[in-house]
Amino acid sequence: MEHPTCDSLVVRQYMERDIPHLIKMRFDFTAESKEIDASLYEAFYQECLDFFEDLKDSNNWETALKLRVTEDQRKFVPSVAVSLAKVYIKPDGEHVEYIPFAIYNNDKMVGFIMHAYEENTENMYWINGFFIDEREQGRGYGGSALSLMISWIQNKFTQCKEIRLTVHRENGKARSFYLQRGFEGTGAWFGEEEILKLNV
């Protein structure tokens, strides 16, 4: 089945300042360019910070908490609540930062993705907690969102040489999805999770 190009797909970054008030950053994406202008990103990032008090929004995180995967996928991906908790709990240590994003098609939230990283490294840039809501799967959103996330990481962290993620050993469909998009096995595992990498 041919998927749409998802020209309207965007991700919006949650920026924490005063819980539960969150703001959303918007990055336009087209399947043709797959690029984000770094200077535009920096300018918009600063604009968001400067005008934060005017951009308070307590609705987006509540919408995100309602996102679900199918029952057979639930053992493979954490809920949005668990992913958002990691931002503040920092289970991997104070040196790891987490940036959660909501995935939107126009103004409709269709999924969630999170980036975890260790600054000043070349290979500690992770994609995790990534899923498309069960009602929105099969429409090409996953591939487009992954491409956008990779482009965002490359533009934000120019020193990044490798992007990583993990896949459960029983999640063959997800593994094939990532391999088709350039990821490869590293031979390393976190328990039941295989570590895949993408050289960038």
Side-chain angles (χ1 to χ4, degrees):
M1 182 178 69
E2 185 175 347
H3 293 305
T5 59
C6 300
D7 289 349
S8 58
L9 198 73
V10 300
V11 295
R12 293 170 180 163
Q13 176 185 343
Y14 292 109
M15 302 295 296
E16 179 264 339
R17 181 77 68 83
D18 182 22
I19 302 172
H21 300 300
L22 301 167
I23 65 174
K24 300 187 291 284
M25 292 181 67
R26 179 184 175 102
F27 300 96
D28 291 317
F29 168 76
T30 66
E32 290 76 24
S33 67
K34 298 183 181 178
E35 294 180 353
I36 300 169
D37 187 300
S39 63
L40 291 178
Y41 163 79
E42 293 296 344
F44 189 71
Y45 179 89
Q46 190 57 51
E47 183 182 52
C48 284
L49 295 182
D50 291 344
F51 293 96
F52 178 80
E53 292 303 320
D54 295 327
L55 295 172
K56 285 182 179 178
D57 185 345
S58 61
N59 296 319
N60 54 349
W61 67 273
E62 293 177 338
T63 302
L65 292 178
K66 297 176 183 177
L67 296 173
R68 296 286 186 274
V69 293
T70 60
E71 186 173 353
D72 62 314
Q73 296 170 334
R74 290 174 188 169
K75 63 181 179 180
F76 300 139
V77 62
S79 66
V80 171
V82 170
S83 292
L84 290 178
K86 290 181 179 180
V87 177
Y88 308 106
I89 297 172
K90 291 185 175 291
D92 298 310
E94 290 296 322
H95 58 290
V96 179
E97 299 293 336
Y98 302 87
I99 307 177
F101 295 82
I103 302 167
Y104 281 80
N105 179 31
N106 294 315
D107 288 327
K108 184 177 184 180
M109 190 183 294
V110 299
F112 182 86
I113 190 169
M114 190 158 74
H115 175 49
Y117 68 96
E118 294 182 37
E119 202 162 6
N120 301 319
T121 65
E122 292 186 349
N123 63 353
M124 298 304 287
Y125 299 88
W126 297 79
I127 293 172
N128 53 37
F130 175 34
F131 70 90
I132 302 299
D133 185 80
E134 62 180 347
R135 296 160 293 187
E136 305 295 337
Q137 293 179 11
R139 302 183 182 184
Y141 297 149
S144 293
L146 181 65
S147 295
L148 176 56
M149 187 79 263
I150 291 168
S151 294
W152 185 90
I153 294 171
Q154 288 180 279
N155 281 277
K156 176 64 176 173
F157 304 101
T158 56
Q159 71 274 21
C160 174
K161 304 296 184 185
E162 183 179 296
I163 296 172
R164 297 182 176 190
L165 51 79
T166 63
V167 179
H168 195 279
R169 68 165 66 249
E170 297 179 10
N171 197 355
K173 186 175 181 180
R175 189 177 191 276
S176 295
F177 170 84
Y178 292 120
L179 293 181
Q180 290 170 7
R181 288 160 176 80
F183 283 83
E184 59 188 50
T186 63
W189 293 73
F190 281 148
E192 297 294 300
E193 301 273 336
E194 180 184 9
I195 301 174
L196 303 183
K197 68 174 183 177
L198 176 70
N199 295 320
V200 297

